[in-house]
Amino acid sequence: MNAISTSKRTVIGGADNFWLFHEKLGFDLTHPSSPESAPIYPRLTLQTSKTPVTLAPQKTAVVVIDMQNLFLSPAMGREKGPGHAAEQALLEKCIPAARKAHIRILWLTWGIREEGLRSVPPMFFRNFGLTFQPESNNSAESTSSSPEQKWRPQKGGIGKPVGKVTLEDGTSIDGGRLLMKDQWNTGLHGGLVSAFEQGMKLTPADARFHKETHSGFWGGNTEFAEYIHREGLTTLLFAGVNTDQCVLATQLNRDITLSCSRTLAAL
């Protein structure tokens, strides 16, 4: 990373991709055409825990990752936890703040296409098709006095039927095929559904995308990546589950400038 100081302002980055930094004003992520260009308006300054960060709302999007039924619904055996706290924070704080600032929201969840099953890496079939369980001491194969942890096949897996699930209101529905596109288990969870529907009526409108691995950028020119490039989005604020998996993978697998605001990060 290059840093060039001009009086009180520091240019961080290269000629085509840079931030501006001021000791008092903090980071400027509005991405003008050059460091000498006039300030971009409208602009929004976030007071973070360390230093202010200024964004251009029209070039910014909140990316909500994997807030889907498979990972959040009680019908899938999900108990209340950090993911639900993140969901509540989104509905009560993040989404209203983004709407007020005219920042669009991009909804990204698993949603594998039929043809995509051919290229999903084996590690994901392992993750969703095997479970790590202790081996019983009574097993004929056991030669140790203490249980051993072994990978064991489990029912189902990517592309396999989830079966019938019972919703909180007692309704029984088909859960669809695991992690496949346009299935109940890959649909947005709870109040996020109406939040997305409301966002579709706004300008700029929300957009919905699917991914076939941890990262929304994996596989080259994905629909998600093409949209970001086409719309001129240069700053992404991440939210969702899980922070150490799909949220992190999408951030690290980027091909544009990304920034993660602590106030909007996943819990």
Side-chain angles (χ1 to χ4, degrees):
M1 177 178 68
N2 297 321
I4 303 174
S5 180
T6 58
S7 64
K8 296 181 179 180
R9 186 182 60 181
T10 300
V11 180
I12 303 174
D16 296 330
N17 188 2
F18 60 86
W19 298 345
L20 300 174
F21 176 75
H22 190 284
E23 289 185 7
K24 291 185 178 180
L25 302 179
F27 289 97
D28 183 333
L29 274 61
T30 60
H31 296 279
S33 56
S34 74
E36 294 75 28
S37 299
I40 289 180
Y41 290 94
R43 55 203 290 118
L44 170 69
T45 298
L46 301 178
Q47 299 296 331
T48 73
S49 61
K50 294 186 179 295
T51 186
V53 177
T54 299
L55 313 172
Q58 68 273 26
K59 295 182 178 182
T60 302
V62 174
V63 182
V64 178
I65 298 177
D66 283 358
M67 302 298 283
Q68 61 193 72
N69 288 319
L70 176 61
F71 303 127
L72 294 170
S73 176
M76 297 300 298
R78 307 301 182 184
E79 298 180 352
K80 291 291 184 180
H84 299 92
E87 180 180 33
Q88 183 177 358
L90 278 168
L91 291 170
E92 296 180 357
K93 297 179 180 180
C94 178
I95 294 175
R99 302 291 193 221
K100 183 177 180 180
H102 302 289
I103 294 176
R104 76 189 75 186
I105 299 176
L106 309 182
W107 305 81
L108 178 65
T109 65
W110 280 88
I112 303 172
R113 300 161 299 142
E114 199 66 46
E115 58 271 28
L117 282 174
R118 298 173 60 90
S119 59
V120 173
M123 64 170 287
F124 294 105
F125 284 97
R126 184 206 70 177
N127 289 350
F128 291 96
L130 298 176
T131 184
F132 211 44
Q133 296 179 338
E135 181 182 79
S136 171
N137 287 337
N138 296 326
S139 171
E141 300 177 0
S142 178
T143 59
S144 172
S145 60
S146 61
E148 295 182 5
Q149 297 286 332
K150 289 189 175 182
W151 287 106
R152 300 180 184 282
Q154 61 182 356
K155 293 180 63 176
I158 292 178
K160 303 299 183 181
V162 171
K164 292 290 184 179
V165 297
T166 302
L167 304 183
E168 293 180 85
D169 63 1
T171 304
S172 179
I173 64 170
D174 183 3
R177 295 167 63 198
L178 189 70
L179 294 180
M180 299 298 288
K181 186 177 180 181
D182 299 327
Q183 308 291 296
W184 175 85
N185 73 92
T186 50
L188 294 172
H189 178 256
L192 299 173
V193 176
S194 59
F196 166 67
E197 292 173 346
Q198 293 168 10
M200 288 292 291
K201 303 174 184 177
L202 303 177
T203 302
D206 287 7
R208 180 88 159 84
F209 301 95
H210 299 87
K211 58 187 178 67
E212 299 185 332
T213 67
H214 280 160
S215 170
F217 292 109
W218 183 85
N221 293 324
T222 64
E223 184 181 0
F224 178 64
E226 290 176 352
Y227 175 91
I228 290 171
H229 177 73
R230 183 175 66 251
E231 294 293 310
L233 299 175
T234 55
T235 301
L236 303 181
L237 308 175
F238 289 96
V241 296
N242 284 316
T243 305
D244 62 337
Q245 296 184 45
C246 293
V247 177
L248 179 62
T250 300
Q251 181 185 357
L252 295 179
N253 197 207
R254 66 202 183 282
D255 58 355
I256 61 170
T257 301
L258 303 180
S259 70
C260 185
S261 165
R262 179 170 180 174
T263 59
L264 299 181
L267 300 178

mmCIF file with all atom_site columns, all heavy atoms in Angstrom, residues 159-171:
data_model
loop_
_atom_site.group_PDB
_atom_site.id
_atom_site.type_symbol
_atom_site.label_atom_id
_atom_site.label_alt_id
_atom_site.label_comp_id
_atom_site.label_asym_id
_atom_site.label_entity_id
_atom_site.label_seq_id
_atom_site.pdbx_PDB_ins_code
_atom_site.Cartn_x
_atom_site.Cartn_y
_atom_site.Cartn_z
_atom_site.occupancy
_atom_site.B_iso_or_equiv
_atom_site.pdbx_formal_charge
_atom_site.auth_seq_id
_atom_site.auth_comp_id
_atom_site.auth_asym_id
_atom_site.auth_atom_id
_atom_site.pdbx_PDB_model_num
ATOM 1  N N   . GLY A 1 159 ? -28.002 -30.416 -2.312 1.00 0.00 ? 159 GLY A N   1
ATOM 2  C CA  . GLY A 1 159 ? -28.855 -30.881 -3.404 1.00 0.00 ? 159 GLY A CA  1
ATOM 3  C C   . GLY A 1 159 ? -29.863 -31.935 -3.005 1.00 0.00 ? 159 GLY A C   1
ATOM 4  O O   . GLY A 1 159 ? -30.748 -32.280 -3.796 1.00 0.00 ? 159 GLY A O   1
ATOM 5  N N   . LYS A 1 160 ? -29.757 -32.468 -1.781 1.00 0.00 ? 160 LYS A N   1
ATOM 6  C CA  . LYS A 1 160 ? -30.670 -33.513 -1.326 1.00 0.00 ? 160 LYS A CA  1
ATOM 7  C C   . LYS A 1 160 ? -31.904 -32.896 -0.673 1.00 0.00 ? 160 LYS A C   1
ATOM 8  O O   . LYS A 1 160 ? -31.865 -31.788 -0.151 1.00 0.00 ? 160 LYS A O   1
ATOM 9  C CB  . LYS A 1 160 ? -29.973 -34.420 -0.321 1.00 0.00 ? 160 LYS A CB  1
ATOM 10 C CG  . LYS A 1 160 ? -28.704 -35.071 -0.850 1.00 0.00 ? 160 LYS A CG  1
ATOM 11 C CD  . LYS A 1 160 ? -28.977 -35.964 -2.041 1.00 0.00 ? 160 LYS A CD  1
ATOM 12 C CE  . LYS A 1 160 ? -27.701 -36.657 -2.495 1.00 0.00 ? 160 LYS A CE  1
ATOM 13 N NZ  . LYS A 1 160 ? -27.943 -37.521 -3.696 1.00 0.00 ? 160 LYS A NZ  1
ATOM 14 N N   . PRO A 1 161 ? -33.038 -33.584 -0.697 1.00 0.00 ? 161 PRO A N   1
ATOM 15 C CA  . PRO A 1 161 ? -34.269 -33.044 -0.097 1.00 0.00 ? 161 PRO A CA  1
ATOM 16 C C   . PRO A 1 161 ? -34.133 -32.832 1.407  1.00 0.00 ? 161 PRO A C   1
ATOM 17 O O   . PRO A 1 161 ? -33.639 -33.705 2.131  1.00 0.00 ? 161 PRO A O   1
ATOM 18 C CB  . PRO A 1 161 ? -35.311 -34.134 -0.396 1.00 0.00 ? 161 PRO A CB  1
ATOM 19 C CG  . PRO A 1 161 ? -34.764 -34.885 -1.560 1.00 0.00 ? 161 PRO A CG  1
ATOM 20 C CD  . PRO A 1 161 ? -33.274 -34.875 -1.375 1.00 0.00 ? 161 PRO A CD  1
ATOM 21 N N   . VAL A 1 162 ? -34.567 -31.680 1.864  1.00 0.00 ? 162 VAL A N   1
ATOM 22 C CA  . VAL A 1 162 ? -34.618 -31.393 3.296  1.00 0.00 ? 162 VAL A CA  1
ATOM 23 C C   . VAL A 1 162 ? -35.783 -32.130 3.939  1.00 0.00 ? 162 VAL A C   1
ATOM 24 O O   . VAL A 1 162 ? -35.728 -32.546 5.085  1.00 0.00 ? 162 VAL A O   1
ATOM 25 C CB  . VAL A 1 162 ? -34.738 -29.865 3.534  1.00 0.00 ? 162 VAL A CB  1
ATOM 26 C CG1 . VAL A 1 162 ? -35.009 -29.561 5.001  1.00 0.00 ? 162 VAL A CG1 1
ATOM 27 C CG2 . VAL A 1 162 ? -33.474 -29.161 3.068  1.00 0.00 ? 162 VAL A CG2 1
ATOM 28 N N   . GLY A 1 163 ? -36.861 -32.285 3.153  1.00 0.00 ? 163 GLY A N   1
ATOM 29 C CA  . GLY A 1 163 ? -38.069 -32.923 3.665  1.00 0.00 ? 163 GLY A CA  1
ATOM 30 C C   . GLY A 1 163 ? -39.043 -31.910 4.224  1.00 0.00 ? 163 GLY A C   1
ATOM 31 O O   . GLY A 1 163 ? -38.869 -30.701 4.090  1.00 0.00 ? 163 GLY A O   1
ATOM 32 N N   . LYS A 1 164 ? -40.083 -32.395 4.863  1.00 0.00 ? 164 LYS A N   1
ATOM 33 C CA  . LYS A 1 164 ? -41.092 -31.527 5.453  1.00 0.00 ? 164 LYS A CA  1
ATOM 34 C C   . LYS A 1 164 ? -40.545 -30.865 6.718  1.00 0.00 ? 164 LYS A C   1
ATOM 35 O O   . LYS A 1 164 ? -39.866 -31.500 7.515  1.00 0.00 ? 164 LYS A O   1
ATOM 36 C CB  . LYS A 1 164 ? -42.349 -32.321 5.794  1.00 0.00 ? 164 LYS A CB  1
ATOM 37 C CG  . LYS A 1 164 ? -43.115 -32.847 4.586  1.00 0.00 ? 164 LYS A CG  1
ATOM 38 C CD  . LYS A 1 164 ? -43.787 -31.719 3.828  1.00 0.00 ? 164 LYS A CD  1
ATOM 39 C CE  . LYS A 1 164 ? -44.630 -32.247 2.676  1.00 0.00 ? 164 LYS A CE  1
ATOM 40 N NZ  . LYS A 1 164 ? -45.312 -31.154 1.940  1.00 0.00 ? 164 LYS A NZ  1
ATOM 41 N N   . VAL A 1 165 ? -40.849 -29.582 6.864  1.00 0.00 ? 165 VAL A N   1
ATOM 42 C CA  . VAL A 1 165 ? -40.464 -28.859 8.076  1.00 0.00 ? 165 VAL A CA  1
ATOM 43 C C   . VAL A 1 165 ? -41.708 -28.189 8.645  1.00 0.00 ? 165 VAL A C   1
ATOM 44 O O   . VAL A 1 165 ? -42.632 -27.838 7.912  1.00 0.00 ? 165 VAL A O   1
ATOM 45 C CB  . VAL A 1 165 ? -39.375 -27.804 7.799  1.00 0.00 ? 165 VAL A CB  1
ATOM 46 C CG1 . VAL A 1 165 ? -38.096 -28.459 7.303  1.00 0.00 ? 165 VAL A CG1 1
ATOM 47 C CG2 . VAL A 1 165 ? -39.858 -26.775 6.781  1.00 0.00 ? 165 VAL A CG2 1
ATOM 48 N N   . THR A 1 166 ? -41.731 -28.026 9.950  1.00 0.00 ? 166 THR A N   1
ATOM 49 C CA  . THR A 1 166 ? -42.880 -27.419 10.613 1.00 0.00 ? 166 THR A CA  1
ATOM 50 C C   . THR A 1 166 ? -42.522 -26.019 11.089 1.00 0.00 ? 166 THR A C   1
ATOM 51 O O   . THR A 1 166 ? -41.589 -25.841 11.879 1.00 0.00 ? 166 THR A O   1
ATOM 52 C CB  . THR A 1 166 ? -43.328 -28.255 11.822 1.00 0.00 ? 166 THR A CB  1
ATOM 53 O OG1 . THR A 1 166 ? -43.642 -29.583 11.371 1.00 0.00 ? 166 THR A OG1 1
ATOM 54 C CG2 . THR A 1 166 ? -44.560 -27.639 12.479 1.00 0.00 ? 166 THR A CG2 1
ATOM 55 N N   . LEU A 1 167 ? -43.263 -25.035 10.606 1.00 0.00 ? 167 LEU A N   1
ATOM 56 C CA  . LEU A 1 167 ? -43.005 -23.646 10.955 1.00 0.00 ? 167 LEU A CA  1
ATOM 57 C C   . LEU A 1 167 ? -43.556 -23.335 12.343 1.00 0.00 ? 167 LEU A C   1
ATOM 58 O O   . LEU A 1 167 ? -44.273 -24.147 12.944 1.00 0.00 ? 167 LEU A O   1
ATOM 59 C CB  . LEU A 1 167 ? -43.635 -22.725 9.916  1.00 0.00 ? 167 LEU A CB  1
ATOM 60 C CG  . LEU A 1 167 ? -43.210 -22.967 8.458  1.00 0.00 ? 167 LEU A CG  1
ATOM 61 C CD1 . LEU A 1 167 ? -43.857 -21.934 7.542  1.00 0.00 ? 167 LEU A CD1 1
ATOM 62 C CD2 . LEU A 1 167 ? -41.690 -22.927 8.326  1.00 0.00 ? 167 LEU A CD2 1
ATOM 63 N N   . GLU A 1 168 ? -43.223 -22.154 12.858 1.00 0.00 ? 168 GLU A N   1
ATOM 64 C CA  . GLU A 1 168 ? -43.628 -21.777 14.211 1.00 0.00 ? 168 GLU A CA  1
ATOM 65 C C   . GLU A 1 168 ? -45.138 -21.705 14.374 1.00 0.00 ? 168 GLU A C   1
ATOM 66 O O   . GLU A 1 168 ? -45.652 -21.878 15.479 1.00 0.00 ? 168 GLU A O   1
ATOM 67 C CB  . GLU A 1 168 ? -42.984 -20.438 14.588 1.00 0.00 ? 168 GLU A CB  1
ATOM 68 C CG  . GLU A 1 168 ? -41.465 -20.515 14.720 1.00 0.00 ? 168 GLU A CG  1
ATOM 69 C CD  . GLU A 1 168 ? -40.832 -19.186 15.093 1.00 0.00 ? 168 GLU A CD  1
ATOM 70 O OE1 . GLU A 1 168 ? -40.776 -18.864 16.289 1.00 0.00 ? 168 GLU A OE1 1
ATOM 71 O OE2 . GLU A 1 168 ? -40.421 -18.457 14.168 1.00 0.00 ? 168 GLU A OE2 1
ATOM 72 N N   . ASP A 1 169 ? -45.852 -21.442 13.273 1.00 0.00 ? 169 ASP A N   1
ATOM 73 C CA  . ASP A 1 169 ? -47.310 -21.378 13.361 1.00 0.00 ? 169 ASP A CA  1
ATOM 74 C C   . ASP A 1 169 ? -47.962 -22.752 13.185 1.00 0.00 ? 169 ASP A C   1
ATOM 75 O O   . ASP A 1 169 ? -49.192 -22.862 13.120 1.00 0.00 ? 169 ASP A O   1
ATOM 76 C CB  . ASP A 1 169 ? -47.870 -20.399 12.331 1.00 0.00 ? 169 ASP A CB  1
ATOM 77 C CG  . ASP A 1 169 ? -47.587 -20.830 10.885 1.00 0.00 ? 169 ASP A CG  1
ATOM 78 O OD1 . ASP A 1 169 ? -46.981 -21.900 10.674 1.00 0.00 ? 169 ASP A OD1 1
ATOM 79 O OD2 . ASP A 1 169 ? -47.973 -20.078 9.968  1.00 0.00 ? 169 ASP A OD2 1
ATOM 80 N N   . GLY A 1 170 ? -47.137 -23.796 13.097 1.00 0.00 ? 170 GLY A N   1
ATOM 81 C CA  . GLY A 1 170 ? -47.658 -25.144 12.963 1.00 0.00 ? 170 GLY A CA  1
ATOM 82 C C   . GLY A 1 170 ? -47.813 -25.617 11.540 1.00 0.00 ? 170 GLY A C   1
ATOM 83 O O   . GLY A 1 170 ? -48.103 -26.794 11.295 1.00 0.00 ? 170 GLY A O   1
ATOM 84 N N   . THR A 1 171 ? -47.613 -24.733 10.579 1.00 0.00 ? 171 THR A N   1
ATOM 85 C CA  . THR A 1 171 ? -47.734 -25.097 9.174  1.00 0.00 ? 171 THR A CA  1
ATOM 86 C C   . THR A 1 171 ? -46.593 -26.017 8.752  1.00 0.00 ? 171 THR A C   1
ATOM 87 O O   . THR A 1 171 ? -45.435 -25.789 9.107  1.00 0.00 ? 171 THR A O   1
ATOM 88 C CB  . THR A 1 171 ? -47.710 -23.835 8.279  1.00 0.00 ? 171 THR A CB  1
ATOM 89 O OG1 . THR A 1 171 ? -48.735 -22.946 8.692  1.00 0.00 ? 171 THR A OG1 1
ATOM 90 C CG2 . THR A 1 171 ? -47.905 -24.211 6.814  1.00 0.00 ? 171 THR A CG2 1
#
